[in-house]
Amino acid sequence: MSLPTQHIAMLCRGLRIASKLHAQTSMPQKQFCGLRSVCSSAIENKPPIIESTEEYKFVERLIPPSRVPTPPKHEGRAPSGWSPPSEVPPTLPYMIRRSRMHNVPVYTDITNGSRKMTLLRKVEGDIWALERDVKEFLKQVTGKELPTQVNEVTMTLRVKGHFDQELKEWLLKKGF
């Protein structure tokens, strides 16, 4: 059985008034220690809270950074294989932003068990011009025209087959 909110509010108000009246009377409080709002003996025994800013440096190093720091400037490939973007973005009708880890956003995907796809994400601008350029490039690489799928809402381009390494190298050569 549930009580209407008005009844609950009235009960809470009545309990508050009763606790105030109890605090004003001279009755020993040990008789009512079962009531948390009335008993003050538990509150009196707690030590005071001390805030230490000096020891926060030990906690601070455990907190992960909110952003990945910008990579250092260098020419060519890093020992890990990572390559920095060009200083000036290419003058093309589309732009491909790097991922938050500063990598080229080209990924492979396997769906339905064996269907291999390459996914190109973070496309800005004319995605249809990018699709034409990708089709031309992959026709030179494979010798045949591969099926592609453009999603304008998520700004992604899917290509049938695994061509992630080829597309990453091609995008790096273009300056992305």
Side-chain angles (χ1 to χ4, degrees):
M1 179 173 126
S2 63
L3 295 173
T5 56
Q6 292 175 342
H7 286 78
I8 294 172
M10 286 173 45
L11 284 172
C12 288
R13 195 175 314 129
L15 283 173
R16 272 191 243 117
I17 291 169
S19 67
K20 286 180 186 176
L21 287 174
H22 179 273
Q24 292 173 356
T25 62
S26 62
M27 292 175 65
Q29 291 186 355
K30 291 186 179 182
Q31 293 176 356
F32 296 102
C33 276
L35 299 173
R36 284 188 174 198
S37 62
V38 177
C39 184
S40 62
S41 63
I43 297 171
E44 293 170 1
N45 295 337
K46 289 187 179 178
I49 297 173
I50 300 170
E51 184 177 324
S52 172
T53 56
E54 187 177 307
E55 294 173 351
Y56 185 71
K57 62 183 176 187
F58 299 113
V59 176
E60 200 170 34
R61 65 187 173 102
L62 299 174
I63 299 172
S66 60
R67 291 187 306 130
V68 176
T70 55
K73 300 282 184 194
H74 65 285
E75 293 295 321
R77 288 190 174 272
S80 64
W82 180 81
S83 183
S86 66
E87 294 291 328
V88 180
T91 56
L92 294 168
Y94 52 87
M95 177 70 185
I96 297 174
R97 299 270 174 218
R98 295 278 181 122
S99 68
R100 70 181 189 95
M101 298 292 186
H102 308 291
N103 294 321
V104 179
V106 178
Y107 309 99
T108 57
D109 189 20
I110 296 178
T111 57
N112 297 335
S114 63
R115 192 170 94 185
K116 298 177 180 177
M117 302 289 281
T118 302
L119 183 67
L120 219 134
R121 295 184 57 233
K122 295 186 171 281
V123 180
E124 297 177 6
D126 190 3
I127 195 168
W128 298 102
L130 173 66
E131 182 202 23
R132 281 192 302 276
D133 291 350
V134 166
K135 277 188 172 185
E136 287 175 21
F137 169 70
L138 291 176
K139 190 171 186 177
Q140 293 171 359
V141 172
T142 63
K144 58 184 176 183
E145 192 164 325
L146 297 168
T148 59
Q149 178 187 17
V150 174
N151 190 335
E152 289 180 292
V153 177
T154 60
M155 295 306 281
T156 58
L157 174 67
R158 287 184 174 267
V159 180
K160 187 175 181 181
H162 279 183
F163 300 103
D164 58 323
Q165 295 302 320
E166 294 90 344
L167 284 175
K168 282 180 185 178
E169 290 297 322
W170 179 69
L171 289 171
L172 287 172
K173 285 179 187 172
K174 284 195 171 265
F176 292 113

